[in-house]
Amino acid sequence: LQRHDGAIDITEGSDLITVSFNHVYNHDKTHLVGNNDLNNLGPGDIGKLRVTFYGNHWVNTKERSPRLRFGINHVYNNYYEGTLAAPNTLVYYFGMGINSTIISEANAFEIDVKTLNSTAAANYVVGQYKGHVFSDRKSVVNGGYPDLEAVAKAKYDTAKAAEVKAAAAAGRPVAEWATYEFSDKVPKIPYEYDVKKAEDVKKYVKKNAGHKNYKWSK
């Protein structure tokens, strides 16, 4: 499947959703969570868009896995396979959007493993789109455990500095999103769940994600 926008988008005040055991491949913008920065469609997104992504397998997706605005996304025990080669050139996986909170936990990322070390590959895990809250707990990237929170903070701080400079040059107030400090402080997950070690995720997800692995009930 290839469309301009998402394979699975979650918008217009949707809430309390789990996206699990999907196999998404060769797609551009996969999962948009939240309509736009203005929050002006449907019943509104603020206080909603609480979404869990678990056990999914993304292969050669370019961006938005997921890309979030306003809500809280718990993204754990997923397996990502990406490449910087055309036509499926990876842009980022986690899109930190305005007023969003992304809680990443024990995910497994493989991005051009033959040519990129863990530190270089980590730069492609997080994308900055006016978001300032992100945490990661023991995700593995190309066989290593880089500091993804440091990557997220560096990208937010760079975007914030650019906005402050642009506002000063234009004689206007700084946009609200750029008035915050980066934070890795996230709310407690409000449900019970078991987390597999990141090094075990690849095998588990490949065995269980996608329609070919679904156990149909008779």
Side-chain angles (χ1 to χ4, degrees):
L1 173 65
Q2 178 59 279
R3 297 173 51 193
H4 173 70
D5 263 337
I8 305 173
D9 284 352
I10 300 170
T11 59
E12 299 190 28
S14 300
D15 199 19
L16 300 175
I17 293 170
T18 297
V19 180
S20 59
F21 297 113
N22 295 282
H23 181 203
V24 183
Y25 56 93
N26 297 342
H27 196 88
D28 187 350
K29 299 177 176 68
T30 53
H31 310 298
L32 177 66
V33 183
N35 292 298
N36 58 41
D37 289 353
L38 299 177
N39 187 42
N40 63 358
L41 296 177
D45 293 331
I46 295 176
K48 300 179 181 178
L49 298 177
R50 291 171 289 181
V51 181
T52 299
F53 290 87
Y54 169 69
N56 300 288
H57 187 190
W58 287 281
V59 182
N60 292 339
T61 58
K62 297 176 70 173
E63 55 187 305
R64 299 185 181 180
S65 300
R67 197 273 203 217
L68 173 63
R69 296 179 175 99
F70 298 110
I72 300 172
N73 282 188
H74 183 203
V75 189
Y76 77 102
N77 283 168
N78 300 281
Y79 175 42
Y80 297 79
E81 290 184 89
T83 179
L84 303 185
N88 296 307
T89 304
L90 176 63
V91 181
Y92 67 88
Y93 283 124
F94 299 147
M96 296 171 55
I98 192 167
N99 290 345
S100 67
T101 297
I102 296 177
I103 306 169
S104 167
E105 193 168 6
N107 295 292
F109 301 89
E110 293 185 344
I111 306 166
D112 282 350
V113 292
K114 293 183 179 180
T115 57
L116 292 181
N117 62 28
S118 182
T119 301
N123 192 56
Y124 294 93
V125 173
V126 182
Q128 170 52 228
Y129 297 91
K130 306 177 185 177
H132 68 282
V133 182
F134 175 86
S135 77
D136 179 76
R137 303 165 186 164
K138 298 181 179 179
S139 290
V140 61
V141 182
N142 284 16
Y145 292 85
D147 189 343
L148 293 178
E149 292 174 359
V151 173
K153 181 180 187 302
K155 291 193 173 187
Y156 173 70
D157 288 347
T158 298
K160 176 181 177 178
E163 164 58 19
V164 170
K165 181 178 180 180
R172 60 169 175 79
V174 174
E176 182 182 359
W177 67 265
T179 62
Y180 301 102
E181 297 298 322
F182 175 84
S183 177
D184 60 2
K185 302 298 185 291
V186 297
K188 181 180 178 180
I189 302 299
Y191 48 81
E192 293 184 1
Y193 64 103
D194 294 322
V195 182
K196 293 170 178 57
K197 294 180 180 179
E199 55 265 33
D200 297 330
V201 166
K202 176 179 178 178
K203 181 178 179 180
Y204 174 76
V205 169
K206 291 187 75 171
K207 182 179 179 181
N208 292 282
H211 73 280
K212 292 182 180 179
N213 292 319
Y214 186 78
K215 308 301 188 294
W216 295 95
S217 300
K218 295 183 178 179

